[in-house]
């Protein structure tokens, strides 16, 4: 892969929560390991009226608060802060762009823009950048979600951006793709020969994907009320995981080959009718309860008003192609759940005949568990005989064949997803960014579900904080004789 690093980075939303928690610590991490282009200048921009020194102070505080202690090196921090300058900007105001362009200066050496903003500001932002020469052939743009709230609005944003930037200079971010364990799904599937022969409807009974969080609304009422769990997590992160599990083997590790295969999966997702939605989706909203021993408020209470927005969603999805015919993909995500966990569980078909029945031995189908976070491991659950003389019958037990990535790669630095993605944006590698056709196919699937909810007047069912969601989510799989992989 040929790297084509830019000389400048323009960071919109530079004083926001994402910048404080993720972007600044990530850029610093890259700087400290000498991975940023030597002269890379970083211009921060947001509405706040700060000057360069004010922004460096701001960044220093953010690093103080969010860098792990073992990453704090005073010399490297001071050095990193020297890369930063700041220009206040109000993206809704046309007059904001010329001073911004003056601050950024010459872009002939390449400029990467990181744009994270409310959907209604994409248009003025892109138009303004274009007008002042910040969208030419040496400029690439990274777009952070939410990129719309349905297919129509996402198309509008995509059209707006496409009017100025060609697709090969647009980098749509799904931060799950920046996670090491998520990328590892590709290696697991396509770097080993023994999975592929059973990786289909003949070998696999069902697939479960869970992203459970313990956090609640945090300070994001404005955004979350316009999104809900389906659009905040499932349309993007969970569907990306699904695509990596379900895709055909790409011929090469390169952007088009990988994104072509993912897009095919998204286009094969079965679109639900209003009738399907009743039986194959469950929505929930948390009420007060206890998470990890701590009493927490319900969503409505946190919000200060009643709301119908779902904080939990479970869906039984299907990928209608040859490989996956008849295999349910059970997907779920929620806030204020029992524990924080992102996991994929692949449940294989049972053996065709059990020779142990007559001797009392019970078999369970094999399961492959890919734990993405907080721990990182791959576990294959296999059957083993318990030690003993078997005079009262054969006792069989499910035991894990364990690959702990944490332990195996103990010395290796685990990077924040944004370190990888920012570096790829700076160097121009699109492999881990989402292409327009992927996003639009994701929204097509989501819109059908939301239309079904609207047609059926679906309202989220309550679930106490600190649980695995409403009981209907358990019924969703149990009806098919399947149990969520919860331990
Ligand atoms: C974001 C969502 O995209 O992902 C948040 O907007 C969610 O609501 C977050 O909390 C989860 O990311 P992670 O990396 O902590 O699993």
């Amino acid at each position: 892969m040929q790297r084509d690093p830019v000389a400048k980075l323009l960071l919109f939303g530079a004083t926001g929560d994402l910048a404080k928690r993720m972007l600044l610590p990530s850029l610093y991490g890259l700087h400290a390991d000498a991975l940023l282009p030597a002269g890379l200048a970083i211009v921060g921009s947001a509405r706040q009226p700060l000057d360069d020194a004010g922004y460096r102070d701001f960044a220093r505080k953010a690093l103080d608060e969010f860098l792990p202690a073992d990453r704090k090196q005073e010399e490297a921090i001071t050095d990193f802060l020297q890369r930063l300058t700041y220009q206040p900007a109000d993206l809704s105001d046309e007059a904001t762009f010329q001073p911004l362009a003056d601050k950024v200066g010459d872009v002939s050496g390449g400029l990467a823009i990181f744009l994270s903003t409310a959907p209604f500001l994409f248009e003025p932002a892109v138009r303004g950048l274009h007008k002042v020469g910040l969208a030419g052939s040496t400029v690439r743009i990274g777009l952070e979600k939410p990129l719309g709230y349905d297919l129509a609005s996402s198309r509008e944003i995509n059209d707006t951006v496409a009017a100025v930037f060609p697709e090969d200079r647009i980098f749509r971010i799904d931060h799950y793709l920046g996670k090491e364990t998520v990328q590892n799904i590709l290696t697991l599937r396509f770097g080993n020969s023994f999975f592929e022969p059973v990786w289909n409807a003949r070998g696999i009974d069902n697939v479960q994907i869970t992203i459970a969080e313990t956090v609640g609304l945090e300070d994001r009422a404005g955004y979350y009320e316009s999104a809900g769990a389906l659009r905040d997590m499932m349309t993007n992160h969970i569907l990306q995981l699904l695509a990596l599990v379900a895709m055909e083997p790409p011929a090469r590790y390169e952007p088009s080959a990988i994104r072509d295969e993912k897009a095919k999966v998204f286009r094969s997702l079965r679109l639900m009718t209003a009738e399907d939605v009743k039986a194959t989706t469950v929505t929930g909203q948390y009420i007060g309860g206890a998470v990890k021993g701590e009493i927490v408020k319900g969503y409505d209470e946190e919000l200060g008003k009643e709301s119908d927005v779902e904080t939990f969603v479970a869906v039984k999805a299907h990928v209608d192609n040859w490989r996956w015919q008849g295999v349910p993909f059970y997907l779920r995500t929620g806030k204020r759940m029992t524990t924080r966990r992102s996991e994929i569980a692949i449940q294989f078909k049972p053996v065709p005949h059990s020779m142990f029945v007559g001797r009392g031995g019970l078999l369970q189908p094999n399961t492959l568990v890919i734990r993405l976070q907080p721990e990182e491991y791959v576990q294959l659950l296999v059957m083993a005989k318990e030690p003993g003389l078997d005079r009262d019958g054969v006792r069989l037990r499910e035991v894990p064949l364990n690959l702990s990535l944490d332990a195996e790669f103990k010395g290796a630095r685990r990077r924040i997803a944004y370190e990888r993605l920012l570096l790829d944006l700076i160097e121009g590698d699109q492999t881990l960014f989402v292409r327009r056709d992927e996003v639009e196919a994701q929204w097509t699937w989501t819109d059908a579900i939301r239309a079904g909810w609207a047609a059926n007047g679906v309202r989220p069912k309550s679930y106490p904080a600190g649980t695995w969601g409403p009981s209907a989510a358990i019924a969703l799989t149990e009806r098919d004789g399947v149990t969520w992989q919860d331990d």
Side-chain angles (χ1 to χ4, degrees):
M1 154 83 209
Q2 189 163 353
R3 305 201 173 271
D4 177 19
V6 292
K8 293 181 180 177
L9 175 67
L10 172 56
L11 207 60
F12 285 110
T15 57
D17 207 47
L18 185 69
K20 274 198 288 201
R21 286 172 190 272
M22 296 289 168
L23 306 180
L24 288 167
S26 297
L27 288 166
Y28 165 78
L30 295 169
H31 167 91
D33 294 340
L35 291 164
L36 290 182
L40 183 86
I42 304 172
V43 183
S45 182
R47 290 171 76 115
Q48 227 166 295
L50 296 174
D51 57 12
D52 295 350
Y55 189 57
R56 287 179 187 145
D57 277 350
F58 171 91
R60 178 179 280 281
K61 286 198 192 101
L63 296 180
D64 265 355
E65 189 174 350
F66 293 107
L67 274 184
D70 65 334
R71 288 297 273 161
K72 287 182 187 162
Q73 298 155 15
E74 189 42 44
E75 211 175 303
I77 292 181
T78 313
D79 222 35
F80 170 70
L81 295 177
Q82 287 317 305
R83 290 182 186 266
L84 304 181
T85 54
Y86 185 84
Q87 177 66 32
D90 170 359
L91 296 176
S92 64
D93 176 7
E94 264 183 57
T96 228
F97 292 95
Q98 194 52 54
L100 195 61
D102 295 342
K103 185 81 177 191
V104 172
D106 176 27
V107 294
S108 60
L111 170 70
I113 299 173
F114 183 99
L115 184 58
S116 108
T117 181
F120 73 96
L121 284 174
F122 275 107
E123 221 245 300
V126 169
R127 206 167 5 98
L129 290 167
H130 179 57
K131 229 171 168 178
V132 298
L134 290 182
S137 63
T138 58
V139 183
R140 54 183 77 122
I141 189 161
L143 303 176
E144 180 59 74
K145 79 180 235 269
L147 296 179
Y149 42 89
D150 60 8
L151 177 62
S153 56
S154 139
R155 276 205 175 127
E156 223 169 273
I157 291 174
N158 280 327
D159 284 344
T160 302
V161 182
V164 171
F165 293 93
E167 184 66 29
D168 66 356
R169 289 197 276 118
I170 301 174
F171 292 64
R172 290 181 198 80
I173 292 161
D174 182 314
H175 81 277
Y176 262 64
L177 295 177
K179 291 181 191 273
E180 197 67 58
T181 31
V182 172
Q183 294 155 36
N184 211 20
I185 299 170
L186 292 176
T187 314
L188 194 71
R189 283 198 60 200
F190 305 125
N192 297 295
S193 59
F194 51 87
F195 289 122
E196 182 56 20
V198 287
W199 207 266
N200 52 46
R202 283 183 304 286
I204 291 177
D205 184 83
N206 68 83
V207 175
Q208 302 177 16
I209 304 181
T210 298
I211 302 184
E213 299 185 279
T214 51
V215 293
L217 183 56
E218 299 177 289
D219 289 326
R220 302 162 78 216
Y223 159 70
Y224 201 81
E225 273 289 289
S226 69
L230 178 70
R231 290 185 282 188
D232 182 44
M233 298 292 283
M234 200 170 275
T235 305
N236 35 56
H237 309 323
I238 290 209
L239 285 189
Q240 284 292 334
L241 296 179
L242 180 149
L244 295 175
V245 169
M247 72 204 247
E248 296 301 314
R252 277 180 298 280
Y253 199 115
E254 54 107 45
S256 309
I258 290 182
R259 301 190 300 176
D260 285 350
E261 296 306 338
K262 283 196 295 163
K264 281 191 220 162
V265 173
F266 297 133
R267 285 198 293 271
S268 310
L269 283 170
R270 185 181 301 170
L271 296 186
M272 290 183 207
T273 62
E275 200 49 37
D276 294 337
V277 160
K278 283 196 259 177
T280 56
T281 72
V282 173
T283 59
Q285 189 188 84
Y286 62 85
I287 53 173
V291 179
K292 294 197 259 166
E294 207 185 296
I295 303 293
V296 299
K297 290 183 187 162
Y299 180 81
D300 277 354
E301 235 181 308
E302 272 183 77
L303 193 64
K305 61 172 186 178
E306 270 190 31
S307 159
D308 270 354
V309 164
E310 81 284 358
T311 60
F312 172 93
V313 61
V315 172
K316 177 181 171 185
H318 283 96
V319 179
D320 276 336
N321 62 17
W322 201 324
R323 185 188 284 260
W324 296 111
Q325 206 39 240
V327 179
F329 285 72
Y330 300 104
L331 317 173
R332 66 177 169 169
T333 182
K335 298 220 180 263
R336 288 284 192 233
M337 301 194 72
T338 317
T339 186
R340 174 169 181 256
R341 174 183 302 171
S342 300
E343 182 175 283
I344 300 169
I346 316 272
Q347 198 167 101
F348 292 93
K349 290 254 160 81
V351 296
H353 164 74
S354 171
M355 61 178 270
F356 303 101
V357 179
R359 299 288 296 274
L362 294 178
L363 290 177
Q364 279 172 271
N366 300 126
T367 304
L368 179 73
V369 178
I370 306 171
R371 172 71 58 90
L372 308 169
Q373 59 187 27
E375 309 86 0
E376 300 184 1
Y377 62 72
V378 180
Q379 243 180 25
L380 184 62
L381 304 178
V382 296
M383 295 310 299
K385 185 180 105 55
E386 283 187 18
L389 301 176
D390 306 333
R391 296 169 76 228
D392 303 324
V394 182
R395 282 182 216 279
L396 304 176
R397 208 172 82 197
E398 191 178 54
V399 292
L401 210 62
N402 237 329
L403 165 60
S404 161
L405 300 165
D406 292 324
E408 259 338 292
F409 301 105
K410 205 146 131 221
R413 176 170 314 292
R414 319 306 272 180
R415 294 193 180 273
I416 312 172
Y418 279 98
E419 283 185 70
R420 171 67 191 251
L421 297 178
L422 283 166
L423 189 60
D424 284 354
L425 169 66
I426 289 165
E427 297 188 335
D429 181 351
Q430 284 189 307
T431 312
L432 299 178
F433 294 85
V434 186
R435 210 167 56 188
R436 175 171 183 161
D437 54 343
E438 293 181 70
V439 178
E440 295 190 353
Q442 292 173 335
W443 279 121
T444 305
W445 180 79
T446 306
D447 280 1
I449 295 178
R450 289 185 50 245
W453 288 349
N456 294 308
V458 169
R459 300 190 58 223
K461 296 179 167 51
S462 302
Y463 65 95
T467 64
W468 281 107
S471 52
I474 298 168
L476 178 76
T477 60
E478 295 290 342
R479 267 202 299 274
D480 300 339
V482 172
T483 303
W484 289 107
Q485 178 79 25
D486 274 348
D487 35 50

